[in-house]
Amino acid sequence: MNQAILEQIMKDLAKGVPGVLCTVVDVEGSTPRNVGASMWVSPDGSISGTVGGGVFEHHTIREALALLNSERDHALYKEGLHCDGSDPNSAACGGDISVFLEVVGRERELVIFGAGHVGKALAQAGQFAGFRVFVWDEREEFANAENIPWGTTIACPLEEIFDRGLKLHGRSFVVIATRGHALDSEVVKTIEHCDAAYVGMIGSMRKIAFVRKRLLDEGVSEAHLNRIYQPVGLPIRAETPEEIAISVVAELIAVLRKGDLSSLRKGLNGGNTPATRE
C-alpha cells in the first residue's frame, strides 16, 4: 500500500468516515494489476489508488459501495477480463482477477451516558470486548481521558452532544447510566429518533416503571420506550460496578451475536437484577 492511500484512509477514519479497502489477492493470466495492488473507496465513491482502472475498477467501486451499505464487513469480488468483441465496454486483458473488499472504520460502538462508577467500569469492559467506546457526562471532572482512558470522552450539556460529534447509527450500542433518573429521562428523550442496535437503561424495576410513565406523559413514543432493555444487563446478581459492567457487556454480545435473550434474561423480574440503582 502506498503512502497516499494510507494518508487518505487515516484522514477518513479521523473524521469518523468508514470506507472499503480493496486489495488484489489473486490473478491468472494477463491482468492490469498484480497481487497486492490496493484501492481505498470512500462512501461518496471517490478513490485513492487503483486496482487497474477501466470497467473492472468501476465494477469494483460499485461492489465496494454495495458492501458499505450492507451489514457485511468483507467480500470477495472476482471478474474475468475476457472480451469476445460483443461488448465494447468489457475488459480485454485476457485474465482473471480477484479482489478482497474489507470495510474499515465501521466498528461497533458502545455509547455510555454517564461517567460514574458503572459508566467507567463499562467503558473498560466494553473496550476489552472490542467496542469503540464513547462516554458522555455533563461533568468534566468525570468525563475526561485521565479518568476514562478506554475511549473518547465528551463533557458538555446534554443538548450539545450531537454538536460535539456524537453520531448514533445501526451499530451503536447505547447504555444509559447517568447520575440520576431525571437525567436518564432526558437522555431517553434526546435519542428518541436516533438509530441504535441496542438501548439499555440502568435502574430498578420500580423506578424504571416511574420513568416510563413520566416519559409517556411527556409525549415520548411507546415504541421508543419498548425498545429499551430495562433493566440493563443479564441477571447474574451483580453488585459491584465491575460486575454490573460484565453483565451489561454480556448482554451486548448476546444481542450482537443474536443469542437467545429471552432465555438468558429469564427470571429477570424475580430476585436481584444485574444493574439497579435505588
Side-chain angles (χ1 to χ4, degrees), residues 31-51:
T31 58
R33 297 299 303 272
N34 291 319
V35 170
S38 57
M39 175 178 71
W40 174 253
V41 180
S42 298
D44 62 0
S46 61
I47 65 172
S48 179
T50 177
V51 290

Side-chain angles (χ1 to χ4, degrees), residues 75-87:
L76 184 65
Y77 177 62
K78 301 180 180 181
E79 185 167 322
L81 309 180
H82 307 281
C83 177
D84 60 6
S86 60
D87 184 358

Side-chain angles (χ1 to χ4, degrees), residues 37-74:
S38 57
M39 175 178 71
W40 174 253
V41 180
S42 298
D44 62 0
S46 61
I47 65 172
S48 179
T50 177
V51 290
V55 66
F56 164 68
E57 186 163 283
H58 172 73
H59 293 165
T60 303
I61 295 170
R62 178 194 64 197
E63 294 298 318
L65 293 176
L67 179 64
L68 199 56
N69 290 321
S70 74
E71 291 299 314
R72 296 174 297 145
D73 293 321
H74 52 78

Side-chain angles (χ1 to χ4, degrees), residues 71 73 105-111 125-134 169-174 197 249 252-257:
E71 291 299 314
D73 293 321
R106 194 174 63 180
E107 301 95 342
R108 57 184 183 267
E109 298 176 347
L110 172 56
V111 180
Q127 187 206 50
F128 182 76
F131 289 87
R132 184 182 181 189
V133 176
F134 293 86
H169 47 75
R171 289 190 171 221
S172 298
F173 291 72
V174 178
V249 171
L252 301 185
I253 293 171
V255 171
L256 179 68
R257 304 301 182 195

